[in-house]
Each structure stands twice: as C-alpha cells, then as structure tokens.
Amino acid sequence: MTEKEFFYTIEKTAVAEFKDKGSRFIAFAFPVAAKEDFKTCLATVKVAHPKATHYCFAYRIGLDGNNFRSGDDGEPAGTAGKPILGQLDSKALTNTLIIVVRYFGGTLLGIPGLIAAYKTAASLVLQVTPAVQKQVELQYRLQFDYTIMNDLMTIIKQYNCTILKQDLQLFCSMEIGIAINRAEQVLNRLADTRNVEVQKIG
C-alpha cells in the first residue's frame, strides 16, 4: 500500500469556536473539490456573519500538493492563513477548506496571540469532523451498447468503482472512477467485455 493509493479528507462540514481576550474565532471546515467551492463557501459564511471583522482561510485541493491558498484578510501577514494551513497539513488533509471568522473583542492579541488563536480555532474544528481515508481513483469514460449494461454493472460493483456520470441511451456513455490499486484488474475485465470502448480521462 503506497501513499499515493489513498488520501485523507473530510466528508462533513463542521463548526467550532474559540475565544481569547474578548475576540471570538469561529472556524468552519468544508469538504471542497475545486477553487469554485471555496468562493461559494466564503460567500455563505459572509452571509451568516455579516458583522465579523475578518474572514481568514486556508485550503488544499488535489493530490499533487501544489493547489493550496491561504489568506489573512487584513490581519498581520502570516498570522492567520498560515497557521490554518498548518493545521490542514498536520493532519495531511486535502480537498478541505477552513474559514475562521473573527469578531474583534477590543483587546489586541499581538502577533503570537493571533497565530495561536487561529491555529487553535482550526485545530478545534478538525477535532469535531473526522478525517476519512479515500482511495485515489483514475477516471475512465466507457462507451458501450445498452445490451451489455448488466455485464458492465457487475464489474463496476465487484470492484467498487465510482460512477461519476452516466448517459444511458441505446448507445451509452459512462464515466467511472477506478481505485488506482485495482485499475489493472478492472481494465483487463473491461478488455474482455465485447462492444465497450474505454478511454482514460482527467
């Protein structure tokens, strides 16, 4: 079992709160799959907390480790986004977004205080939503005649493939995810099935 066969993420949204010297830090964790999800989640949080002073965040998406972002939203540079991202990385999470909303309580916390507060809020929200291990999947498009639908569904169920999209007419198209450690077996089975065209995507 190599590292690349699996990744860790969260499946449910969660909320946690931390208070320090009158300031409230409310952390939200969201499962996300694309940058667009971040914009949607941030807009939702801003609607729920229109009077907050800051909306700081960090996310990591994908498996190559290069798709991440963090933001301090007016807090001193490096005091909010980086500590939040650090909590995601400490649990090796991806496809995960944390937004921490701050209501200023009137007392300045200073640089170390802010770093500690944002780190703690992010840590707390990750404690209330369990990390889940998921298999890395390769994506394929299948095109086939409707008459072999049952044969294909048998293979898909047997190997726990994920059906991502399907268009079932007389001539059918289906996009599936195959666990990386089972791909060879599944592709061999598909190759033995008549009248199916298999194409790798993504």
Side-chain angles (χ1 to χ4, degrees), residues 86-102:
Q87 288 305 297
L88 289 177
D89 292 346
S90 73
K91 292 196 161 42
L93 293 171
T94 190
N95 292 1
T96 305
L97 161 69
I98 296 177
I99 299 172
V100 180
V101 171
R102 182 188 182 190

Side-chain angles (χ1 to χ4, degrees), residues 2 4-6 135-138 178-184:
T2 64
K4 289 186 180 175
E5 289 178 10
F6 297 94
Q135 289 186 313
V136 175
E137 292 186 330
L138 301 173
I178 306 172
I180 207 164
N181 55 354
R182 295 197 195 112
E184 198 178 333

Side-chain angles (χ1 to χ4, degrees), residues 55-172:
Y55 306 89
C56 305
F57 70 89
Y59 66 74
R60 194 176 280 285
I61 295 169
L63 302 174
D64 62 7
N66 296 325
N67 192 356
F68 64 93
R69 218 180 123 203
S70 62
D72 301 310
D73 192 34
E75 295 282 31
T79 59
K82 272 190 182 169
I84 298 169
L85 186 63
Q87 288 305 297
L88 289 177
D89 292 346
S90 73
K91 292 196 161 42
L93 293 171
T94 190
N95 292 1
T96 305
L97 161 69
I98 296 177
I99 299 172
V100 180
V101 171
R102 182 188 182 190
Y103 287 90
F104 181 55
T107 304
L108 292 171
L109 300 181
I111 301 286
L114 283 173
I115 292 170
Y118 281 103
K119 179 182 174 182
T120 303
S123 172
L124 288 172
V125 78
L126 291 177
Q127 285 173 32
V128 294
T129 181
V132 291
Q133 186 187 62
K134 290 197 168 185
Q135 289 186 313
V136 175
E137 292 186 330
L138 301 173
Q139 292 183 13
Y140 288 86
R141 182 180 290 116
L142 310 180
Q143 291 180 301
F144 54 93
D145 190 278
Y146 193 77
T147 55
I148 62 162
M149 180 73 179
N150 285 346
D151 296 345
L152 285 182
M153 289 309 292
T154 301
I155 296 170
I156 286 167
K157 284 179 182 161
Q158 187 180 343
Y159 291 98
N160 281 331
C161 300
T162 308
I163 296 174
L164 306 167
K165 273 186 198 169
Q166 53 184 5
D167 180 18
L168 307 177
Q169 310 290 332
L170 277 172
F171 196 71
C172 307

